[in-house]
Amino acid sequence: MARKTANDDPLAPVTLAVGQEDLLLDRAVQEVVAAARAADADTDVRDLTPDQVQPGTLAELTSPSLFAERKVVVVRNAQDLSADTIKDVKSYLGSPAEEITLVLLHAGAAKGKGLLDAARKAGAREVACPKMTKPADRLAFVRGEFRSFGRSATPEACQALVDAIGSDLRELASAAAQLVADVEGTIDEAVVGRYYTGRAEASSFTVADRAVEGRTAEALEALRWSLATGVAPVMITSALAQGVRAIGKLSSARGGRPADLARELGMPPWKIDRVRQQMRGWTPDGVAVALRAVAEADAGVKGGGDDPEYALEKAVVTIARAARSRGRG
């Protein structure tokens, strides 16, 4: 979820939404608009792109009205404003108008940093909307979605939803809302599986889980289904790599409680329990063989081979065999 500064009043004179996650940026705007319309149902909302904000535009929009109406002025991609317009905005930040809330959406990069710094110096309410590129961030987002509805979901259910839906935050939010609307009580992994069976089976992580568990036939079935439903081969090799590396990291770690190992290895405690179950047939040599297989498959799907599907099938079979290497002699 978006992080906010200590000034958490959505009706603050200026709100600065910083980041590149579109869903979070839109929610930052929606929160301000909802608060303004709760205070005044006739609030005028102007949602503008940089090309619509010319020198003098902001002064015109924020000038006193005969009707003293409340107004929300949203400026998207503020980092792309012209130099002269940025001067106007900086000047406005020093003396914002009453009954008007200015919302600046800024990517947060080096471009337009002077405006970003000026808004912060002026005491703008800030909402962080970072791009969620890490699986752990998306997992935290899903947990937050369920909490925002006042509902409980198990860690396994949250992970299953991320595995099934992928990285699109809008789809994750929609899926969480659908589950909350349709399901009573705690949302668990079985519920997610029932709702998203096709997508969960097609998940790259399902392929990886079956492979590192040594379940060759199921892993190949999941792989073929995954490819047939449009999952990118590179996503599958990435999931295979994560699965094998998790086995290697945990097998070489010192014993301890899941919470301690989670901190040491950078995994959630429930993931430690799952990997412990998956690693029973593994040996250090098996991990090395599996990692080589993943590297070869990765090269194959990125242009190093003629048949990405064959490269993936070969890797899945090799990993599944490596998972049963203990005791084969």
Side-chain angles (χ1 to χ4, degrees):
M1 298 177 68
R3 298 188 302 274
K4 302 168 185 174
T5 57
N7 176 12
D8 197 22
D9 180 6
L11 292 181
V14 181
T15 285
L16 180 64
V18 184
Q20 300 177 42
E21 190 59 69
D22 289 340
L23 174 65
L24 300 183
L25 290 167
D26 285 345
R27 284 185 173 181
V29 173
Q30 291 163 8
E31 182 182 26
V32 172
V33 171
R37 286 186 168 155
D40 181 353
D42 295 324
T43 294
D44 180 23
V45 178
R46 304 294 181 93
D47 197 327
L48 308 170
T49 56
D51 60 294
Q52 295 174 308
V53 188
Q54 301 300 320
T57 301
L58 186 61
E60 179 183 343
L61 291 174
T62 58
S63 60
S65 167
L66 291 174
F67 304 102
E69 64 182 355
R70 181 176 290 277
K71 188 179 293 185
V72 174
V73 178
V74 180
V75 179
R76 296 183 182 270
N77 298 310
Q79 72 278 356
D80 295 331
L81 292 171
S82 69
D84 287 339
T85 303
I86 287 177
K87 289 180 182 178
D88 284 355
V89 177
K90 287 182 177 179
S91 176
Y92 176 81
L93 292 173
S95 183
E98 292 184 9
E99 301 298 311
I100 291 177
T101 299
L102 175 65
V103 184
L104 299 174
L105 276 57
H106 194 292
K111 186 178 182 181
K113 189 174 183 298
L115 176 58
L116 191 63
D117 292 342
R120 286 170 171 163
K121 186 176 181 180
R125 167 182 179 258
E126 185 169 343
V127 182
C129 307
K131 197 74 176 174
M132 295 192 181
T133 57
K134 297 179 181 179
D137 292 338
R138 293 191 286 273
L139 188 60
F141 172 79
V142 169
R143 288 198 298 264
E145 288 296 289
F146 286 122
R147 281 198 301 269
S148 71
F149 288 110
R151 295 294 298 278
S152 175
T154 67
E156 293 80 5
C158 294
Q159 183 65 56
L161 195 60
V162 172
D163 290 349
I165 301 299
S167 60
D168 190 305
L169 253 59
R170 292 187 189 278
E171 291 195 23
L172 285 169
S174 176
Q178 184 69 51
L179 288 168
V180 166
D182 291 356
V183 178
E184 295 183 358
T186 299
I187 296 166
D188 59 20
E189 189 175 14
V191 168
V192 175
R194 286 200 303 272
Y195 271 72
Y196 298 99
T197 299
R199 298 183 74 158
E201 288 174 355
S203 163
S204 55
F205 289 100
T206 300
V207 178
D209 283 342
R210 299 298 87 81
V212 299
E213 290 162 5
R215 297 154 66 177
T216 308
E218 293 176 45
L220 288 172
E221 181 181 1
L223 171 64
R224 289 160 189 156
W225 183 272
S226 181
L227 293 171
T229 53
V231 175
V234 68
M235 296 297 293
I236 299 173
T237 55
S238 175
L240 290 170
Q242 289 183 48
V244 174
R245 286 174 187 148
I247 297 287
K249 287 167 69 175
L250 189 56
S251 62
S252 61
R254 298 184 301 274
R257 297 176 304 170
D260 296 332
L261 288 170
R263 284 192 294 271
E264 180 182 342
L265 302 179
M267 298 181 191
W270 68 264
K271 180 72 170 177
I272 297 291
D273 292 335
R274 175 179 288 184
V275 176
R276 272 179 169 166
Q277 294 174 358
Q278 293 174 333
M279 63 185 281
R280 288 172 183 164
W282 286 87
T283 65
D285 287 344
V287 172
V289 167
L291 287 173
R292 284 197 297 273
V294 170
E296 291 172 4
D298 190 55
V301 303
K302 291 179 178 176
D306 297 327
D307 190 342
E309 184 173 338
Y310 171 73
L312 286 168
E313 288 186 355
K314 182 180 177 182
V316 164
V317 170
T318 301
I319 292 168
R321 286 177 178 170
R324 301 192 302 271
S325 58
R326 187 182 299 278
R328 284 216 307 261

